[in-house]
Amino acid sequence: MMERSDRAPLLDWEEAPSAEKPRGDAVEDCLSSPSNSRSVAPGLGWSGGHGGPSNPPGTGTDQALRPDEEGFLSDSAAKEVALEDSMVTWEEHDQIVSVFVVTFNTRTGNMLEWCLPKDMDLDGVEFKAIASGSHRVSTDFIYFRKGSYFGLACFANMAVESTVERGARMKSVGILSPSYTLLYRYMSFLEHQVRLQLQTPGHYSPLEAFYEDKRAVLPGGDGFLTACPANAWGPSLTTITHPAGCMSQFIRFFGEQIMVLWKLALLRRRILIFSPPPVGVVCYRVYCCCCLANISIPGIGVAVPEFRPFFYVNVADINALENELSYVACTTEKIFEEKKDLYDVYVDNQNVKTYREGLKPLLRLSAADKDKYYKLTEQRQLLLYSQEETGDCVFLEQNNRIFQTLSEVANSTDPTLTQETVRAMGLDPHGDRLFLLHLLEIYGYDTLLVSEQLCCS
């Protein structure tokens, strides 16, 4: 079977729509809005046995309605369709707050060449849109955070016969948005535009037209969108949409270590991922780390630090990271490894390490972890032929199972965690004991008692 690239086919703003539906639209993330027809089927977690999704491929709610069936939509379904249409309209046309071009100057270094709007505060974006070490690669893409906004920039490096430019011309074209969930839709456009900027520098009219078509409607200076329809996002405001194949490759890359990252993400630890350029695929790993910690049960996690994605960071972000209680980010700058107070966990390639004594036991894979990973890979194989190919639904279902069980026990007349209740969460009473104790402390389940049967690990 041919493996998918990390770069899913994306929408190109400049090109005429194809008669064939783009695969980037056809493959949606299972963590999208509850109004979407997809839902997490029972039994998808590693504790759910071997039962697959309730609907076989090509049947049930995932199958598109035929034209002669459209008249049978219920009122509620029709409202959901209308809501989805309004969301797409808003997302496609009203979310870009800035577009810019960054270039590398041989005398002054990275510099902002052009931007819209002209009064946008883009200080420092020149070092985010061209990652440190990018001169060693021909193309790259970078997700990053700039204040309250998120950005995506596409970088390209072209050889030129110019002594002034020292034989190479390097530029990056990027955008800013209040949300990172749909930035990938514009990657194809940005890739095309950076190539044009390299070949014909100073030709900004396509970028100007793009900004006029996609720009967000912002009130005077408070940084919030006003164009979003009321209740358009609902409870899925913080969910993550990523290009198809991202989570699948993420799991394959880390192998059994994915179980360690899952625990650390759910415990809201500060995770920093190092990699030399290109950094684009590492930004996807930041995406996927966030997916590992998703919970869709209302009210769960409101008292814990938000697990915030910073994507690519450099030395200019050190002050910002010092004030973060929980985050996941990536960098190409090795100097960060020495800044041990900035992170709890440092990831270099597949090597996950920590300098915090209390976390070191969590980094050791137990027999229970290996068993969960085996069940996870089994479930992913089942899902390849059903409604979800990336596997992140398995983590969402598992997280929901854990916190649903904890809530039920906390509200019972005997708030004691026994071996049976721990197994009902999909955890091992002995192998996961330390992780469970951390979880109870972080999420405030201090009223729960732990059975003495769980005392040995």
Side-chain angles (χ1 to χ4, degrees), residues 1 3 11 35 89 93 110 121 136 156 191 198 201 213 222 224 311 325 327 349 359 446:
M1 179 181 295
E3 292 186 358
L11 300 178
S35 64
T89 300
H93 295 287
N110 296 5
D121 177 15
R136 295 193 293 267
E191 287 176 331
L198 289 176
D213 183 53
D222 64 8
F224 289 95
F311 299 104
L325 299 175
Y327 73 84
N349 202 22
L359 291 180
D446 49 3

Side-chain angles (χ1 to χ4, degrees), residues 394-409:
V394 178
F395 288 100
L396 176 64
E397 194 275 345
Q398 181 60 44
N399 296 343
N400 285 349
R401 182 189 299 268
I402 289 173
F403 288 100
Q404 184 66 41
T405 305
L406 287 177
S407 297
E408 290 173 356
V409 174

